[in-house]
Amino acid sequence: MLRQLKRCAQGTTEAPTIIGIDDWSWRKSQTYGTIIVDLERRVVIDILEDRDVVTCTN
C-alpha cells in the first residue's frame, strides 16, 4: 500500500493551505514513518522514513 501511495504522491504548483500529518509504526514499537496529506485536494504530498520534526520541516 505504501508503494502505491508513494507512486501517487504528486508535487503541486500551489502551496497547500491545510495539511494533515500522521505517523505509524513500520515495525511494532520500533521504527516510525510519517505521511503528509493535502486535505483540501485529498492528495498525498510525501511519505517520510521517520517522524522527526526536522524531516517534516524540510
Side-chain angles (χ1 to χ4, degrees), residues 1-57:
M1 185 166 126
L2 291 174
R3 279 186 233 144
Q4 290 177 343
L5 287 173
K6 280 188 174 187
R7 246 184 273 134
C8 294
Q10 301 173 356
T12 60
T13 56
E14 296 179 29
T17 55
I18 302 173
I19 63 169
I21 298 177
D22 192 16
D23 61 334
W24 73 91
S25 178
W26 292 93
R27 289 189 142 153
K28 191 172 185 176
S29 300
Q30 291 182 4
T31 308
Y32 294 89
T34 303
I35 186 168
I36 303 173
V37 180
D38 181 342
L39 295 178
E40 290 179 311
R41 294 179 191 92
R42 297 181 180 170
V43 175
V44 174
I45 296 172
D46 201 1
I47 297 175
L48 308 174
E49 299 293 325
D50 58 16
R51 64 178 185 180
D52 190 49
V53 173
V54 176
T55 306
C56 288
T57 59

